Amino acid sequence: MPGVPLPHQESAKRNLVENLYRQHRGWLVAWLLRGQGCPQRAEDLSQDTFLRLLRRSDLLVPREPRALLTSIAKGLLIDHFRRCALERAYQAQLEQLPEALQPSEEERLLLFETLNRIDTLLGRLSSKARAAFLHSRLDGLGHAEIAARLGVSVPRVRQYLAQATRQCYIALYGEPT
């Protein structure tokens, strides 16, 4: 069956990742530590890197294992920094609310997780598609106004909004069949 790994394939993948882990984990943690300065974060990102490898369906023996690990770790670092920046912006906005309107800690966490999921969803779009979607949904701008702001045609704005709508659909219901 295509797409369903056979038991021996899963075992081979686990063995491959285990070998990569033994051979390169120390190097990866040291590499992450140079960029982070935080041993715990470097360890966490290293673990997440190897977890990503385990989740890959197309994992083959890499010719350059450190290049592969670096590429995955860089993506995780970008995700981490993006999440931190989003959290700082969120906290700054919350601080501007009057005390009576401040959400509880539980509500803050739920709101931030939702905001993070939306950010991840929008991060899959091009910058112009993301801007078109935000102008449409948050600013209430029409297609012509969005087109003028982005310096594109109205049909292009429609394409951007269709892309964003598709991403929203996928987030809610999964990939269309």
Side-chain angles (χ1 to χ4, degrees):
M1 289 177 71
V4 178
L6 299 173
H8 69 278
Q9 290 173 324
E10 279 301 310
S11 176
K13 182 169 58 169
R14 277 194 309 276
N15 289 339
L16 172 59
V17 173
E18 186 178 320
N19 286 334
L20 290 170
Y21 185 86
R22 275 195 226 115
Q23 293 172 7
H24 301 287
R25 187 192 81 57
W27 169 83
L28 183 60
V29 170
W31 182 82
L32 288 163
L33 190 56
R34 282 193 303 272
Q36 289 292 295
C38 176
Q40 293 84 4
R41 189 171 302 124
E43 286 285 347
D44 288 347
L45 289 169
S46 170
Q47 295 300 321
D48 290 345
T49 299
F50 288 101
L51 281 174
R52 285 261 173 110
L53 279 177
L54 277 173
R55 290 184 186 132
R56 288 182 75 160
S57 60
D58 62 341
L59 184 62
L60 301 173
V61 177
R63 274 191 291 240
E64 298 290 334
R66 288 186 176 183
L68 174 63
L69 294 171
T70 301
S71 176
I72 294 169
K74 281 181 182 178
L76 290 169
L77 274 171
I78 289 168
D79 290 349
H80 171 75
F81 288 130
R82 225 171 127 182
R83 183 180 170 96
C84 287
L86 183 64
E87 189 169 12
R88 282 191 304 275
Y90 173 65
Q91 291 297 337
Q93 289 299 312
L94 287 178
E95 288 172 9
Q96 294 182 9
L97 288 175
E99 192 171 323
L101 297 177
Q102 291 284 328
S104 69
E105 286 303 314
E106 183 180 340
E107 290 170 321
R108 283 178 185 238
L109 181 60
L110 289 172
L111 287 168
F112 178 69
E113 289 304 317
T114 301
L115 185 60
N116 194 48
R117 282 196 308 272
I118 292 168
D119 182 59
T120 300
L121 168 85
L122 294 178
R124 295 182 184 130
L125 299 171
S126 69
S127 60
K128 286 194 176 185
R130 185 172 43 253
F133 179 75
L134 293 173
H135 283 314
S136 171
R137 299 296 177 198
L138 298 180
D139 302 331
L141 299 182
H143 294 180
E145 293 171 296
I146 296 168
R149 285 197 182 186
L150 298 179
V152 298
S153 67
V154 171
R156 191 67 174 145
V157 168
R158 287 189 190 110
Q159 289 175 342
Y160 289 149
L161 293 176
Q163 291 168 6
T165 302
R166 183 176 192 284
Q167 286 299 324
C168 291
Y169 180 91
I170 290 169
L172 289 171
Y173 307 109
E175 201 64 52
T177 55

